[in-house]
C-alpha cells in the first residue's frame, strides 16, 4: 500500500503559550495520493492554522507532519515545498512579477528550469485558469478574482504533487469557481494530484472525496460529502442538501441522504 501524501499525527498548536486553550488539539488525519480532502469549520476552528503548519510556516508545539513521506521540519521544509504548492486567500501576498506571465514563471525561475519549458508551462497554466489573454497585464491592475486565478496558475505551473487551497476560491465569481473546480477534478484524475482544500464554500467541499470537520481545534468528524451533509445538520450545506432539508421540514417525500444536483435530477425523474 502506498504511503499517504499527508500524514498528521497528534498535532497541537497554540499562538499564545500563556493561554490554556489550543488553536489545534491532538489533530490526526491522513490524505491519500490522488485524494481531495476538504477541511471545513466555523471561524476560529483552526483551519488556516492547519494549512500554515502543513507547509512549514508555523511550528507545532507537539505532533508530527509527514508530506510526500518526508517528515516536515526546518531541514526538510524547502524540499517539501518543491512538491507542495499553497494558494492563500489574499492573492496580493503572492505577487512578485511585473506581468501576469512573469508572476506565473517566478517559481520555475527559482528552480532554474529551462526557458522553453517555463514558457510552455506558463501558457499551459494560464489556459487552465482562462487568463491567457491577460498574460502581458500588470497583476496589480486585475480584479480580485483574476488575481486569485493568477496565483492558482503560478502554483499549477510547478506541477505539484500536492495542492493546498486556503480559501483560495473566495474572490471568484460563481462561473470562475465552477470552471476551476472542474479543472482541478480533471487534473486530479489525469495526474493523481492530491488536493487539500480549506474552505467555507460547501459547493467546493461537495466536489471533494472526503470532508474533515474541525470544531474548536478538534477533528469531530471525517467522511464523504454525503455522510457529512447528512449528519452535520448545523453545517451550511450545498443547494441540493438545503433543498432536501427544506422539503423534509415540510414533511415532503425526499431522498434518504445527501444527493448532488445531478443525482437530484435523476431522483426527480424516477
Amino acid at each position: 500500500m502506498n504511503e499517504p501524501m499527508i500524514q498528521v499525527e497528534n498535532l497541537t498548536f497554540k499562538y499564545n503559550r500563556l493561554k490554556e486553550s489550543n488553536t489545534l488539539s491532538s489533530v490526526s488525519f491522513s490524505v491519500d495520493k490522488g485524494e481531495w480532502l476538504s477541511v471545513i469549520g466555523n471561524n476560529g476552528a483552526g483551519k488556516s492554522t492547519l494549512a500554515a503548519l502543513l507547509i512549514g510556516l508555523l511550528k507545532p508545539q507537539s505532533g508530527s507532519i509527514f508530506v510526500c513521506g518526508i517528515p516536515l521540519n526546518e531541514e526538510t521544509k524547502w524540499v517539501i515545498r518543491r512538491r507542495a504548492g499553497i494558494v492563500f486567500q489574499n492573492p496580493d501576498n503572492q505577487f512578485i512579477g511585473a506581468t501576469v506571465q512573469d508572476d506565473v514563471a517566478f517559481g520555475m525561475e527559482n528552480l532554474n528550469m529551462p526557458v522553453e519549458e517555463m514558457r510552455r508551462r506558463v501558457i499551459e497554466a494560464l489556459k487552465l485558469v482562462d487568463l491567457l489573454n491577460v498574460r502581458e497585464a500588470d497583476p496589480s491592475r486585475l480584479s480580485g478574482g483574476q488575481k486569485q486565478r493568477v496565483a492558482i496558475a503560478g502554483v499549477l505551473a510547478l506541477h505539484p504533487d500536492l495542492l493546498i487551497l486556503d480559501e483560495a476560491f473566495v474572490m471568484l465569481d460563481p462561473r470562475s469557481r465552477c470552471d476551476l473546480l472542474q479543472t482541478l477534478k480533471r487534473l486530479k484524475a489525469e495526474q493523481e494530484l492530491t488536493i487539500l482544500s480549506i474552505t467555507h464554500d460547501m459547493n467546493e467541499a461537495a466536489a471533494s472525496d472526503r470532508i474533515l470537520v474541525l470544531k474548536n481545534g478538534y477533528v469531530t468528524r471525517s467522511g464523504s460529502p454525503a455522510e457529512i451533509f447528512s449528519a452535520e445538520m448545523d453545517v451550511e450545506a450545498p443547494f441540493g442538501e438545503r433543498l432536501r432539508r427544506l422539503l423534509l421540514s415540510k414533511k415532503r417525500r425526499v431522498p434518504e441522504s445527501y444527493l448532488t444536483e445531478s443525482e437530484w435530477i435523476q431522483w426527480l425523474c424516477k
Side-chain angles (χ1 to χ4, degrees):
M1 188 174 179
N2 293 331
E3 283 185 329
M5 182 61 67
I6 301 174
Q7 181 75 48
V8 175
E9 298 173 354
N10 297 315
L11 195 65
T12 296
F13 177 84
K14 65 171 65 176
Y15 287 98
N16 188 341
R17 293 176 181 269
L18 299 178
K19 287 188 176 181
E20 290 186 12
S21 60
N22 296 317
T23 306
L24 293 172
S25 299
S26 301
V27 170
S28 296
F29 66 93
S30 63
V31 186
D32 292 332
K33 180 177 175 60
E35 184 180 18
W36 186 337
L37 176 72
S38 288
V39 180
I40 66 173
N42 295 331
N43 289 333
K47 303 186 302 300
S48 290
T49 299
L50 177 61
L53 286 162
L54 290 175
I55 208 71
L57 295 176
L58 295 174
K59 185 177 179 180
Q61 267 70 54
S62 61
S64 59
I65 301 171
F66 291 80
V67 180
C68 307
I70 303 168
L72 175 61
N73 53 47
E74 284 299 313
E75 288 72 36
T76 63
K77 66 182 183 182
W78 294 107
V79 175
I80 288 172
R81 288 175 189 174
R82 285 177 175 245
R83 301 182 62 179
I86 185 168
V87 183
F88 294 102
Q89 180 174 347
N90 187 351
D92 289 315
N93 294 336
Q94 293 182 251
F95 285 150
I96 300 294
T99 67
V100 166
Q101 60 187 4
D102 288 344
D103 196 80
V104 175
F106 179 76
M108 293 179 285
E109 289 174 343
N110 285 340
L111 298 177
N112 294 317
M113 192 175 291
V115 172
E116 287 305 313
E117 176 66 9
M118 278 198 296
R119 287 175 178 165
R120 185 187 68 78
R121 290 198 188 191
V122 166
I123 292 172
E124 173 190 72
L126 288 174
K127 283 181 178 179
L128 286 174
V129 299
D130 195 25
L131 284 181
L132 188 60
N133 61 321
V134 297
R135 61 185 181 274
E136 299 284 354
D138 179 349
S140 67
R141 296 184 177 274
L142 300 179
S143 69
Q146 288 175 316
K147 289 178 180 179
Q148 198 74 290
R149 284 187 281 159
V150 171
I152 292 170
V155 172
L156 291 179
L158 293 169
H159 293 182
D161 297 315
L162 169 65
L163 176 62
I164 299 174
L165 303 170
D166 184 10
E167 300 286 2
F169 287 7
V170 71
M171 292 186 183
L172 301 183
D173 61 84
R175 181 175 179 178
S176 295
R177 187 181 298 117
C178 183
D179 289 345
L180 270 173
L181 284 174
Q182 293 304 315
T183 296
L184 292 178
K185 281 184 176 181
R186 180 167 57 81
L187 291 175
K188 174 181 169 297
E190 294 176 356
Q191 303 176 13
E192 279 197 291
L193 176 65
T194 305
I195 303 171
L196 188 142
S197 176
I198 308 287
T199 184
H200 279 97
D201 182 351
M202 293 304 106
N203 290 306
E204 182 182 340
S208 61
D209 301 309
R210 186 162 54 94
I211 295 174
L212 193 77
V213 182
L214 274 181
K215 291 184 180 179
N216 300 318
Y218 290 91
V219 174
T220 59
R221 193 182 293 268
S222 174
S224 68
E227 291 170 334
I228 296 301
F229 295 136
S230 296
E232 296 280 330
M233 299 302 287
D234 60 335
V235 168
E236 183 183 350
F239 170 76
E241 178 61 14
R242 295 201 304 274
L243 175 61
R244 190 184 79 88
R245 294 177 186 180
L246 175 62
L247 293 175
L248 187 64
S249 70
K250 296 181 179 298
K251 302 188 183 305
R252 301 293 179 88
R253 188 174 72 90
V254 296
E256 293 182 359
S257 62
Y258 163 81
L259 296 180
T260 64
E261 291 183 26
S262 60
E263 289 170 340
W264 258 107
I265 293 171
Q266 293 175 8
W267 187 84
L268 291 169
C269 291
K270 285 182 180 179

